[in-house]
Amino acid sequence: MSLYERARAVIPGGVSSPVRSFGAVGGEPFFVAGAEGPYLVATDGTRYLDYVQSWGASILGHAHPALVEAVQRAAAAGTSYGAPTEREVLLAEAIRDRVPSVEKVRLVSSGTEAAMTALRLARGATGRDKIVKFAGCYHGHVDSLLVAAGSGVATFGLPGSAGVTPGAVADTLVVPYNDDAALDAVFAEHGADIAAVIVEPVAANMGLVAPGAGFLSGLRARCDAHRALLIFDEVITGFRVGLGGAQALYGVTPDLSIFGKVIGGGLPLAAVGGPGGLMEELAPVGSVYQAGTLSGNPLATAAGLAVLEQLDDALYVSLADRAAFLAAGLTTVMGEAGLAVQVPRVATLVGLFFSPTPVRDYEGAHGADVKTHAAFFHALLRRGVFVAPSAFEAVFVSAAHGWPDLERTVELAADAAAEVVSGAGPDC
Ligand SMILES: *Cc1c(COP(=O)(O)O)cnc(C)c1O
């Protein structure tokens, strides 16, 4: 029996998170035996140049020596205490010192938990019920945010998953990304009831979609006018597009920010941050309850601190250069092969849409050609390059991706694109 068959016998779909299945591209996922720098090594010994990087968590590449050492040292001193530690303070200080809007931080264990906490805090602090989210933005599997995309106009959400009750999403309003008019309509109708607007300041879960000019500042202004809170979900963008996250990149200050992925360095760690007064609405000071047995876990804080120590402006400049090289290279070779693609880039983040026109919202993203994407995914994988097994994810370049790796990736992409166009690849 293959490992995948054994996995499916005891784990639904054989995976611990659905995005890891090859459901969207066909075929069977490989299993990882280990990883180093830009590479994943599969259980059959195949080495893949990895552009998933734990869905963006590993900005330094895999098994960075400083991180490995920090985690080993931490583990030897105990893996969890259920009592406060110095590293929680150090990590909170490190986040506060880097992110403009953050004065106080609550550490949690996943982005989902951070989103859930931010919403509860926003509702508790404002005494209002409604939340605005954008179609195509992902904030973890929080019930009230698992809402099907409304298309075109602002709409009351319908549950996007079985098991989410209509009641759980009754206070969620869904608006198209980059659509100021729809936002105005929703504020005009519900302004006095809106606790918060939650947004990915750069959308990276419907492929990569940049905020249009003035979109984020417009959001800030509307929230101010209606005394709603603005929540930036920086779980991907935080410490990824730059030290200060998207809020520093675009110069727009949210009330609350949530972080995950990069700040945990591949361990379960996420955070909610904001102004001191607002954050102190959280228990034990305030009346908004929130807790976690493993919150601020000593291994996770050790990993987070080790990563943050490596990140400086020079690293982001170098990472953005690499991302730009990859984006330009992909644009060229895919175009030469005759494939209509968009390769958007925001700082260090790269996207890839099989679409003839630029994508600015969820509806546009879903116009992309997922069949060609799937063929390209497999053609690349056969050549030893692993990108996300979905047409709606970002391409993550890490600091461990060297120039030769990137050059080889572009060459292999050219080869893969030619195969896709010729239809020569095996069926999958
Ligand atoms: C990954 C992600 C989350 C959820 O984080 P988990 O740690 O998987 O729960 C939330 N928001 C964004 C923008 C994400 O990319």
Side-chain angles (χ1 to χ4, degrees):
M1 214 170 24
S2 76
L3 188 50
Y4 184 50
E5 283 166 342
R6 278 171 50 206
R8 276 187 305 174
V10 287
I11 299 171
V15 290
S16 298
S17 187
V19 292
R20 297 176 200 171
S21 78
F22 280 13
V25 292
E28 297 184 2
F30 61 88
F31 281 66
V32 177
E36 192 188 0
Y39 292 104
L40 285 181
V41 182
T43 45
D44 68 0
T46 310
R47 255 159 60 104
Y48 295 101
L49 198 44
D50 178 23
Y51 288 96
V52 178
Q53 292 289 330
S54 187
W55 302 80
S58 302
I59 196 168
L60 301 176
H62 298 290
H64 187 281
L67 191 148
V68 171
E69 209 225 297
V71 174
Q72 282 174 339
R73 206 166 350 104
T79 52
S80 183
Y81 313 123
T85 60
E86 185 184 15
R87 278 201 297 275
E88 293 163 76
V89 181
L90 292 172
L91 185 59
E93 287 171 348
I95 296 171
R96 177 201 61 194
D97 292 347
R98 287 162 177 78
V99 184
S101 67
V102 173
E103 286 173 7
K104 290 195 175 172
V105 175
R106 172 60 52 90
L107 298 177
V108 296
S109 300
S110 73
T112 296
E113 226 187 314
M116 195 178 78
T117 300
L119 294 192
R120 189 180 306 142
L121 177 52
R123 284 169 162 154
T126 59
R128 297 173 176 186
D129 293 345
K130 293 197 187 304
I131 299 290
V132 176
K133 86 170 280 281
F134 294 91
C137 284
Y138 178 65
H139 308 291
H141 61 105
V142 180
D143 274 4
S144 63
L145 297 176
L146 274 184
V147 181
S151 82
V153 289
T155 173
F156 272 104
L158 296 169
S161 163
V164 174
T165 64
V169 297
D171 286 320
T172 306
L173 301 156
V174 184
V175 176
Y177 199 74
N178 276 329
D179 188 337
D180 291 337
L183 207 53
D184 279 335
V186 102
F187 268 109
E189 192 176 347
H190 303 285
D193 301 322
I194 295 173
V197 176
I198 184 166
V199 65
E200 285 184 77
V202 178
N205 283 286
M206 50 171 152
L208 186 72
V209 179
F215 176 60
L216 296 176
S217 56
L219 257 184
R220 179 70 272 177
R222 286 173 180 85
C223 285
D224 287 343
H226 294 271
R227 280 182 288 125
L229 299 181
L230 179 58
I231 304 170
F232 274 9
D233 179 342
E234 299 233 38
V235 171
I236 284 192
T237 53
F239 307 102
R240 165 65 62 177
V241 298
L243 269 188
Q247 53 197 270
L249 190 65
Y250 291 97
V252 176
T253 305
D255 298 290
L256 290 171
S257 304
I258 67 174
F259 303 95
K261 299 198 169 101
V262 171
I263 55 159
L267 273 86
L269 191 142
V272 186
L278 180 54
M279 289 300 293
E280 296 220 319
E281 300 275 346
L282 285 173
V285 190
S287 54
V288 177
Y289 194 69
Q290 187 280 334
T293 302
L294 299 180
S295 293
N297 175 267
L299 270 58
T301 52
L305 284 166
V307 170
L308 288 186
E309 232 163 67
Q310 303 290 321
L311 302 177
D312 57 20
D313 290 334
L315 182 138
Y316 288 107
V317 169
S318 148
L319 213 50
D321 282 348
R322 285 157 211 253
F325 174 88
L326 186 66
L330 289 176
T331 304
T332 302
V333 300
M334 306 290 272
E336 281 171 3
L339 290 171
V341 298
Q342 306 296 318
V343 192
R345 177 179 71 92
V346 175
T348 62
L349 282 166
V350 176
L352 176 62
F353 287 112
F354 285 81
S355 160
T357 50
V359 172
R360 60 191 306 278
D361 58 19
Y362 193 51
E363 209 182 307
H366 276 269
D369 177 356
V370 294
K371 267 187 72 181
T372 305
H373 167 270
F376 181 69
F377 166 84
H378 280 291
L380 263 187
L381 193 68
R382 280 193 294 277
R383 289 165 175 78
V385 179
F386 182 48
V387 295
S390 157
F392 307 109
E393 303 290 346
V395 178
F396 292 103
V397 179
S398 81
H401 287 80
W403 289 103
D405 297 321
L406 299 169
E407 281 160 16
R408 198 155 59 82
T409 303
V410 171
E411 281 163 26
L412 293 171
D415 211 34
E419 180 188 301
V420 168
V421 169
S422 73
D427 287 338
C428 50

